[in-house]
Amino acid sequence: MADWPVYVINMDANQTRLARVAEELGRAGIAWDRLPAVNGRALSAEETARVYDAKANARRARHDLVAPEIGCYLSHVRAAEWLRDGGFEAAVILEDDMRVTGDLAGVIAGLQADLAARPGEWDLVKLFSFKPVALSGVRQVGPGVSVGRPDRVPSTTLGYVLTRAGAEKILACVPPIFRPVDEDHKHFWEFGLKVAMIDPQPIAIGEQETTEGTVGESRKRMGKRDGALRRVWRNIRYQANYRLHLALSRGR
């Protein structure tokens, strides 16, 4: 069975993060490739307008995207392109602030065997969630390791496995983008994605300091410019639409 590539998304300026993730993956015995992240702050207004649909954002997202969020999404698009163009069956996509907390190599091997035994069973497997996630249709993919369908898709792209079929589904829809990449994963029905989750999760959040600042810092600054009522209304509308369409997708 051919090995899956492991892509680590990393900004050029964030060398400390790169060194840390190199140590983490080295100890785990995992070979990997650095995927240069897109710097959203460096995009011109014209470049941003080509990839970001502000009108769709205003209608369907809960907040305007800040430049780092746009760059983050485009970095994950680049990972999907690398996977598709490389002709691989699947790839492991990691962000550079992750740390290894379990048998990541064993999880990857288990998912390789699972996909070989059940082609098309899933397009994307999340490796991490901030909150506990209930799984259905659970099956074992290794000693003490299971995969199943999450009751809700975690709001994070810290680490996941993406198949080539899943990459093609995503790339058929984006760009343009209008929501953060993790929220688009939550709206899996819009892409026709089959999303699964691993248990127990083999990675966790690591050190967060960056050279260029974080998405959260940029969003806080934007939040101060937006009116409170506008923020509340957009969030209520977003949550209502999400829950409705999630329920409809589960009933199909």
Side-chain angles (χ1 to χ4, degrees), residues 138-180:
V138 176
R139 61 186 178 277
Q140 196 168 21
V141 296
V145 179
S146 301
V147 68
R149 187 178 72 171
D151 63 340
R152 60 169 186 81
V153 177
S155 298
T156 173
T157 50
L158 183 70
Y160 57 97
V161 173
L162 181 67
T163 67
R164 185 168 66 248
E168 290 170 348
K169 290 177 182 180
I170 291 170
L171 294 172
C173 298
V174 298
I177 65 174
F178 63 91
R179 280 190 298 245

Coordinates of all heavy atoms in Angstrom, one line a residue, residues 138-180:
V138 N -19.8 3.2 14.4 CA -18.4 3.1 14.9 C -17.8 1.7 14.5 O -18.5 0.7 14.6 CB -18.2 3.3 16.4 CG1 -16.8 3.1 16.8 CG2 -18.7 4.7 16.7
R139 N -16.6 1.7 14.0 CA -15.9 0.4 13.7 C -14.4 0.6 14.1 O -13.9 1.7 14.0 CB -16.0 0.0 12.2 CG -15.4 1.0 11.3 CD -15.7 0.6 9.8 NE -15.2 1.6 8.9 CZ -15.9 2.7 8.6 NH1 -17.1 3.0 9.1 NH2 -15.3 3.6 7.7
Q140 N -13.8 -0.5 14.4 CA -12.4 -0.4 14.8 C -11.4 -0.4 13.6 O -11.7 -1.1 12.6 CB -12.0 -1.6 15.7 CG -10.7 -1.5 16.5 CD -10.6 -2.6 17.6 OE1 -11.2 -3.6 17.5 NE2 -9.8 -2.3 18.6
V141 N -10.4 0.5 13.7 CA -9.4 0.5 12.6 C -8.0 0.2 13.1 O -7.1 0.3 12.3 CB -9.5 1.9 11.9 CG1 -10.8 2.1 11.2 CG2 -9.2 3.0 12.9
G142 N -7.9 -0.1 14.4 CA -6.6 -0.5 14.9 C -6.8 -0.8 16.4 O -7.9 -0.6 16.9
P143 N -5.8 -1.2 17.1 CA -5.9 -1.6 18.5 C -6.4 -0.3 19.3 O -5.6 0.6 19.4 CB -4.5 -2.0 18.9 CG -3.9 -2.4 17.6 CD -4.5 -1.5 16.5
G144 N -7.6 -0.4 19.8 CA -8.1 0.7 20.7 C -8.4 1.9 19.9 O -8.7 3.0 20.5
V145 N -8.5 1.9 18.6 CA -8.8 3.1 17.7 C -10.0 2.8 16.9 O -10.1 1.7 16.2 CB -7.6 3.4 16.8 CG1 -7.9 4.6 16.0 CG2 -6.3 3.7 17.7
S146 N -10.9 3.7 16.9 CA -12.2 3.6 16.1 C -12.4 4.8 15.2 O -11.9 5.9 15.4 CB -13.4 3.4 17.0 OG -13.2 2.3 17.9
V147 N -13.2 4.6 14.2 CA -13.7 5.7 13.3 C -15.2 5.6 13.2 O -15.8 4.5 13.3 CB -13.0 5.6 12.0 CG1 -13.5 4.4 11.2 CG2 -13.2 6.9 11.2
G148 N -15.8 6.7 13.1 CA -17.3 6.8 13.0 C -17.8 8.1 12.5 O -17.0 9.0 12.4
R149 N -19.1 8.2 12.3 CA -19.6 9.5 11.8 C -19.9 10.4 13.0 O -20.7 10.0 13.9 CB -20.9 9.2 11.0 CG -21.5 10.5 10.4 CD -22.7 10.2 9.6 NE -23.9 9.9 10.4 CZ -25.1 9.8 10.0 NH1 -25.4 9.9 8.7 NH2 -26.1 9.5 10.8
P150 N -19.4 11.6 13.0 CA -19.7 12.5 14.2 C -21.1 13.1 14.2 O -21.6 13.4 13.1 CB -18.6 13.6 14.0 CG -18.4 13.6 12.5 CD -18.5 12.2 12.0
D151 N -21.6 13.3 15.4 CA -22.9 14.0 15.4 C -22.8 15.4 15.0 O -23.8 16.0 14.5 CB -23.6 13.8 16.8 CG -22.7 14.5 17.9 OD1 -21.5 14.8 17.7 OD2 -23.3 14.8 19.0
R152 N -21.7 16.0 15.1 CA -21.4 17.3 14.6 C -19.9 17.3 14.2 O -19.1 16.7 14.8 CB -21.6 18.4 15.7 CG -20.8 18.2 16.9 CD -20.8 19.4 17.8 NE -19.9 19.2 18.9 CZ -18.6 19.5 18.8 NH1 -18.1 19.9 17.7 NH2 -17.8 19.3 19.9
V153 N -19.6 18.0 13.1 CA -18.3 18.1 12.6 C -17.5 19.1 13.4 O -18.0 20.3 13.5 CB -18.2 18.4 11.1 CG1 -16.8 18.6 10.6 CG2 -19.0 17.4 10.3
P154 N -16.3 18.8 13.9 CA -15.6 19.7 14.8 C -15.2 21.0 14.0 O -14.9 21.0 12.9 CB -14.4 18.9 15.2 CG -14.8 17.5 15.1 CD -15.7 17.4 13.9
S155 N -15.2 22.1 14.8 CA -14.8 23.4 14.2 C -13.3 23.6 14.3 O -12.9 24.4 15.1 CB -15.6 24.5 14.9 OG -17.0 24.4 14.7
T156 N -12.6 22.9 13.5 CA -11.1 23.0 13.5 C -10.6 22.3 12.3 O -11.2 21.3 11.8 CB -10.5 22.3 14.8 OG1 -9.1 22.3 14.7 CG2 -11.0 20.9 15.0
T157 N -9.5 22.8 11.8 CA -8.7 22.1 10.8 C -7.3 21.8 11.2 O -6.4 21.8 10.4 CB -8.7 22.9 9.5 OG1 -8.3 24.3 9.8 CG2 -10.1 23.0 8.8
L158 N -7.1 21.5 12.5 CA -5.8 21.3 13.1 C -5.2 20.1 12.4 O -4.0 20.0 12.2 CB -5.9 21.0 14.6 CG -4.6 20.8 15.3 CD1 -3.8 22.1 15.4 CD2 -4.8 20.3 16.7
G159 N -6.0 19.0 12.1 CA -5.5 17.9 11.5 C -6.6 17.0 10.9 O -7.6 16.8 11.6
Y160 N -6.5 16.5 9.7 CA -7.5 15.6 9.1 C -6.9 14.8 8.0 O -5.8 15.2 7.4 CB -8.7 16.4 8.6 CG -8.4 17.5 7.6 CD1 -8.6 17.3 6.3 CD2 -8.0 18.8 8.0 CE1 -8.3 18.3 5.3 CE2 -7.8 19.8 7.1 CZ -8.0 19.6 5.8 OH -7.7 20.6 4.9
V161 N -7.5 13.8 7.6 CA -7.2 13.0 6.4 C -8.2 13.3 5.3 O -9.4 13.3 5.6 CB -7.2 11.5 6.7 CG1 -6.9 10.7 5.5 CG2 -6.1 11.1 7.8
L162 N -7.7 13.6 4.1 CA -8.6 13.9 3.0 C -8.3 13.0 1.9 O -7.1 12.7 1.5 CB -8.3 15.3 2.6 CG -9.1 15.9 1.4 CD1 -10.6 16.0 1.8 CD2 -8.6 17.3 1.0
T163 N -9.3 12.4 1.3 CA -9.1 11.5 0.1 C -9.0 12.4 -1.1 O -9.4 13.5 -1.2 CB -10.2 10.5 0.0 OG1 -11.4 11.2 -0.4 CG2 -10.4 9.7 1.2
R164 N -8.5 11.7 -2.2 CA -8.5 12.5 -3.5 C -9.9 12.8 -4.0 O -10.1 13.9 -4.5 CB -7.7 11.7 -4.6 CG -7.6 12.4 -5.9 CD -6.6 11.7 -6.8 NE -7.1 10.5 -7.3 CZ -6.6 9.3 -7.0 NH1 -5.5 9.2 -6.2 NH2 -7.0 8.2 -7.5
A165 N -10.8 11.9 -3.8 CA -12.2 12.1 -4.1 C -12.7 13.3 -3.3 O -13.5 14.2 -3.9 CB -13.1 10.9 -3.9
G166 N -12.4 13.4 -2.0 CA -12.8 14.5 -1.2 C -12.2 15.8 -1.7 O -12.9 16.9 -1.7
A167 N -10.9 15.8 -2.1 CA -10.3 17.0 -2.6 C -10.9 17.5 -3.8 O -11.1 18.7 -4.0 CB -8.8 16.7 -2.8
E168 N -11.3 16.6 -4.7 CA -12.0 17.0 -5.9 C -13.3 17.6 -5.7 O -13.7 18.6 -6.4 CB -12.1 15.8 -6.9 CG -10.7 15.3 -7.4 CD -10.8 14.0 -8.1 OE1 -11.8 13.3 -8.0 OE2 -9.8 13.6 -8.8
K169 N -14.0 17.1 -4.7 CA -15.3 17.7 -4.3 C -15.2 19.1 -3.8 O -15.9 20.0 -4.2 CB -16.0 16.8 -3.3 CG -16.5 15.4 -3.8 CD -17.1 14.6 -2.6 CE -17.6 13.3 -3.1 NZ -18.2 12.4 -2.0
I170 N -14.2 19.3 -3.0 CA -13.9 20.6 -2.4 C -13.5 21.6 -3.5 O -14.0 22.7 -3.6 CB -12.8 20.5 -1.3 CG1 -13.4 19.8 -0.1 CG2 -12.3 21.9 -1.0 CD1 -12.4 19.5 0.9
L171 N -12.6 21.2 -4.4 CA -12.0 22.0 -5.4 C -13.1 22.4 -6.5 O -12.9 23.3 -7.2 CB -10.8 21.4 -6.0 CG -9.6 21.3 -5.1 CD1 -8.5 20.5 -5.7 CD2 -9.1 22.6 -4.6
A172 N -14.1 21.5 -6.6 CA -15.2 21.8 -7.5 C -16.0 23.0 -7.1 O -16.8 23.6 -7.9 CB -16.0 20.6 -7.8
C173 N -15.9 23.3 -5.8 CA -16.8 24.4 -5.2 C -16.0 25.7 -4.8 O -16.6 26.7 -4.7 CB -17.5 23.8 -3.9 SG -18.6 22.4 -4.2
V174 N -14.7 25.5 -4.5 CA -14.0 26.7 -4.1 C -12.6 26.8 -4.8 O -12.1 25.8 -5.2 CB -13.7 26.7 -2.5 CG1 -15.0 26.7 -1.8 CG2 -12.9 25.4 -2.2
P175 N -12.1 28.1 -4.9 CA -12.7 29.3 -4.6 C -13.8 29.7 -5.6 O -13.9 29.0 -6.6 CB -11.5 30.3 -4.6 CG -10.6 29.7 -5.6 CD -10.7 28.2 -5.5
P176 N -14.6 30.7 -5.3 CA -14.5 31.7 -4.2 C -15.0 31.1 -2.9 O -15.7 30.0 -2.9 CB -15.4 32.8 -4.6 CG -16.5 32.1 -5.5 CD -15.8 31.1 -6.2
I177 N -14.6 31.7 -1.8 CA -14.9 31.3 -0.5 C -15.7 32.4 0.2 O -15.6 33.6 -0.2 CB -13.7 31.0 0.3 CG1 -12.8 32.2 0.6 CG2 -12.8 29.9 -0.3 CD1 -11.6 32.0 1.5
F178 N -16.4 32.0 1.2 CA -17.2 33.1 2.0 C -17.3 32.8 3.5 O -17.8 33.6 4.2 CB -18.6 33.3 1.4 CG -19.5 32.1 1.4 CD1 -20.3 31.9 2.5 CD2 -19.5 31.2 0.4 CE1 -21.2 30.9 2.6 CE2 -20.4 30.1 0.5 CZ -21.2 29.9 1.5
R179 N -16.9 31.5 3.9 CA -16.9 31.1 5.3 C -15.5 30.6 5.6 O -14.7 30.3 4.7 CB -17.9 30.0 5.5 CG -19.3 30.4 5.7 CD -20.2 29.2 6.2 NE -20.2 28.1 5.2 CZ -21.3 27.7 4.6 NH1 -22.4 28.3 4.7 NH2 -21.2 26.7 3.7
P180 N -15.1 30.6 6.9 CA -13.9 29.9 7.3 C -13.8 28.4 6.8 O -14.9 27.8 6.7 CB -13.8 30.0 8.8 CG -14.7 31.2 9.1 CD -15.8 31.1 8.1

